[in-house]
Amino acid sequence: MAEAELKIGEVFAGKDGPSVLTGLRRMFYLVTPDETSFQTAEEVPNYLKQAAPTFIVMILLELLVASLKKKTTPTRLNDSISSISAGMIQQMSRLFSKGVYLMVYIWVYENYRLVELPWDSPVTWWTAFIVMEFAYYWMHRMAHEVNILWAAHQVHHSSEDYNLTTALRQSALQIVGGFFFFYLPMAFLVPPAAYSAHYQLNLLYQFWIHTELVTSLGPLEYILNTPSHHRVHHGRNPYCIDKNYGGTLIIFDRLFGTFAKEEEKVVYGLTHPLNTWDPIWVQFCHYVHIWKTFWVTPGLTNKLSVLWKGPGWAPGKPRMGCIEDIPKVKYPEPKYDSKVSSLWSVYVAVHFFLAMVLYQELFAVAKVLTTAAMLGRVVFVVWTLVCVAAIMDRKPSAPIVDFTRCVTYMLVDVTTRLSGSPAVLLPSPLMNAMFVWYLVSAAIWGIIFLKPVFKVKVLKTY
């Protein structure tokens, strides 16, 4: 495999993916215990990886339908790129754990399980379904109610749009607290294979509820988590704050008093918007905020409260802060939208698409890469995402940073070709086209740098 070229279809979909119908059913948890029960965790398919083509098709379909319906909040290129970038960073961070979390889960199950449920029993399947949903509810709720956990989860809420790409806007660090505090206790009861299957299916279900196109599902609204319920969860209207934590079901929200029905038009995003597309700042901004707040807050007890109480807490306030402190908003609210010209939008879109190609190629060959080679690929993809965001943010540093990235790509490509080893395992025509594109991109920046010298009146920056 290390010496073979990959077909572009294999890079994005894999060789052994499910049928279209099966893949679609998984997105809605419409599976049977027989087809999703396995004896060992190693047998469980990577449902999330196999769903990548379905994600793309559903995103494009939503965009088409929204355009035909003339929705007032269409999908924006910059916001969608920001959301997908966050998801890519999350998944690449997991490359280096290499199943550590599942290994820990298996070890706890094998040594400390309280009962042994038969792997092929429908009772085990339904038990895993309910326990996973219960664990997810409390993990999700605590991610809103504990500041240090919110620091990771706020990534998902940072989009001011609400569409299917928003579902992909995820934190690279949330899995740490989520797994050890909420999912690992499942190992006392739920077999590892059942845990692995339902963990993935629970996440897949949550993809399609990130849309404004579906209004109400009628009686199902009483049981299932739906787009209407989840729109409330993503709102920054005061009535939306800290509501509707369910994954696939809404019953635990109704039981524990955290349910709110969609009423006035929802305004999405954080109560204090980030106003940037930078994927690194989106991931770590709240940790920086906590660090600064921790040191300026007087008293050890208060300092610890900064970590463990709610994001809105301050000395003298209730644990979750005061709802009166939430900025009042009413739809429509202005959104952060640092627009660039159409030509630069094309430039950004092409480089982002190539980043996704390299990202998919990375996962296709990850098993045969050394840690250093894998890290190099990850760094370049993240570098691309940062450059794309910097251009969309119109940062003064964007030209030199992106020019350096393009030159670096060409140098690495030429060096690896001369050494007889391909830079990436992609078809040669695609590799050649990518080299030409990076060459053209570097030339564009070069012309821009020389504009003041030769007074060239072309290529308006941004």
Side-chain angles (χ1 to χ4, degrees):
M1 180 177 180
E3 297 178 357
E5 286 188 342
L6 296 177
K7 297 179 181 178
I8 191 65
E10 294 173 6
V11 172
F12 281 94
K15 293 181 179 180
D16 303 313
S19 67
V20 173
L21 179 60
T22 298
L24 191 61
R25 286 193 295 108
R26 289 177 184 171
M27 303 299 296
F28 299 91
Y29 228 126
L30 298 176
V31 295
T32 66
D34 284 345
E35 66 181 315
T36 52
S37 295
F38 304 90
Q39 187 169 7
T40 65
E42 290 76 15
E43 298 176 68
V44 180
N46 190 331
Y47 294 137
L48 297 176
K49 179 181 177 182
Q50 292 179 354
T54 308
F55 289 159
I56 295 172
V57 171
M58 291 180 70
I59 288 170
L60 295 176
L61 182 61
E62 180 193 40
L63 179 60
L64 175 62
V65 174
S67 299
L68 293 176
K69 295 181 68 173
K70 294 182 171 60
K71 297 290 289 185
T72 57
T73 54
T75 300
R76 295 182 295 163
L77 177 67
N78 44 25
D79 187 86
S80 295
I81 287 178
S82 182
S83 293
I84 298 171
S85 295
M88 292 166 66
I89 290 174
Q90 179 216 35
Q91 291 300 311
M92 287 188 293
S93 70
R94 296 188 180 185
L95 281 171
F96 300 95
S97 64
K98 296 190 176 181
V100 169
Y101 297 111
L102 186 57
M103 289 171 57
V104 172
Y105 188 99
I106 292 172
W107 183 84
V108 172
Y109 177 81
E110 291 180 345
N111 291 277
Y112 298 103
R113 64 180 178 270
L114 301 178
V115 296
E116 186 165 356
L117 299 175
W119 70 269
D120 54 352
S121 168
V123 173
T124 302
W125 193 94
W126 284 105
T127 299
F129 170 79
I130 296 297
V131 173
M132 172 59 70
E133 179 64 20
F134 183 77
Y136 178 83
Y137 170 86
W138 284 106
M139 183 277 294
H140 196 183
R141 182 170 174 174
M142 290 302 102
H144 281 254
E145 296 187 1
V146 177
N147 201 20
I148 194 66
L149 298 180
W150 171 249
H153 187 61
Q154 61 83 30
V155 176
H156 183 58
H157 285 263
S158 59
S159 173
E160 295 181 281
D161 289 351
Y162 190 78
N163 52 59
L164 293 179
T165 66
T166 309
L168 305 178
R169 184 181 287 245
Q170 299 291 336
S171 165
L173 299 177
Q174 184 169 325
I175 184 62
V176 180
F179 175 79
F180 286 103
F181 289 111
F182 302 99
Y183 292 138
L184 188 57
M186 292 176 58
F188 296 125
L189 177 66
V190 177
Y195 160 77
S196 179
H198 285 279
Y199 173 78
Q200 295 185 78
L201 291 169
N202 189 286
L203 291 181
L204 286 179
Y205 178 91
Q206 294 178 56
F207 176 77
W208 76 273
I209 61 177
H210 290 82
T211 184
E212 292 189 288
L213 297 182
V214 179
T215 53
S216 173
L217 296 182
L220 293 178
E221 299 279 341
Y222 290 99
I223 302 172
L224 299 178
N225 191 17
T226 65
S228 177
H229 298 330
H230 206 60
R231 284 194 290 271
V232 172
H233 178 73
H234 273 259
R236 55 187 173 110
N237 314 57
Y239 87 92
C240 298
I241 301 298
D242 299 331
K243 293 295 189 290
N244 300 357
Y245 296 113
T248 60
L249 304 175
I250 204 66
I251 56 174
F252 292 121
D253 286 287
R254 296 183 183 276
L255 286 172
F256 296 119
T258 55
F259 173 74
K261 185 178 180 180
E262 187 176 21
E263 297 173 353
E264 63 186 73
K265 182 69 174 178
V266 176
V267 178
Y268 305 108
L270 301 172
T271 57
H272 298 87
L274 300 182
N275 293 336
T276 183
W277 309 118
D278 187 339
I280 302 301
W281 183 244
V282 168
Q283 292 284 337
F284 296 106
C285 62
H286 200 71
Y287 291 104
V288 174
H289 171 73
I290 289 176
W291 176 262
K292 292 179 178 178
T293 306
F294 180 89
W295 288 112
V296 301
T297 302
L300 179 59
T301 300
N302 286 334
K303 287 183 183 297
L304 294 178
S305 294
V306 170
L307 303 178
W308 302 116
K309 291 187 177 181
W313 178 85
K317 293 184 178 181
R319 185 180 74 86
M320 291 301 295
C322 300
I323 194 66
E324 295 80 14
D325 294 338
I326 302 297
K328 301 296 188 296
V329 294
K330 187 174 182 180
Y331 182 87
E333 286 283 322
K335 301 177 181 180
Y336 175 69
D337 196 13
S338 55
K339 294 182 179 179
V340 297
S341 68
S342 298
L343 287 177
W344 282 108
S345 294
V346 172
Y347 179 91
V348 161
V350 173
H351 275 287
F352 181 70
F353 173 76
L354 294 181
M356 290 197 296
V357 171
L358 295 176
Y359 165 85
Q360 292 291 345
E361 184 269 347
L362 167 64
F363 280 86
V365 300
K367 292 183 179 180
V368 300
L369 294 176
T370 64
T371 301
M374 188 159 58
L375 182 61
R377 283 167 161 82
V378 169
V379 167
F380 185 80
V381 171
V382 173
W383 191 358
T384 301
L385 301 179
V386 169
C387 287
V388 163
I391 295 171
M392 295 190 300
D393 277 331
R394 305 179 66 162
K395 291 183 177 179
S397 60
I400 188 62
V401 174
D402 197 52
F403 172 77
T404 305
R405 179 184 67 92
C406 294
V407 171
T408 299
Y409 177 89
M410 290 188 295
L411 290 175
V412 172
D413 184 276
V414 170
T415 301
T416 52
R417 287 174 190 253
L418 291 176
S419 67
S421 175
V424 289
L425 302 181
L426 292 169
S428 295
L430 177 59
M431 286 296 301
N432 294 334
M434 289 173 65
F435 183 86
V436 171
W437 173 250
Y438 276 97
L439 177 62
V440 171
S441 300
I444 290 173
W445 289 122
I447 293 172
I448 290 173
F449 294 148
L450 294 174
K451 279 172 63 179
V453 178
F454 297 102
K455 298 181 180 180
V456 181
K457 295 182 179 180
V458 293
L459 292 175
K460 178 182 177 181
T461 310
Y462 310 131

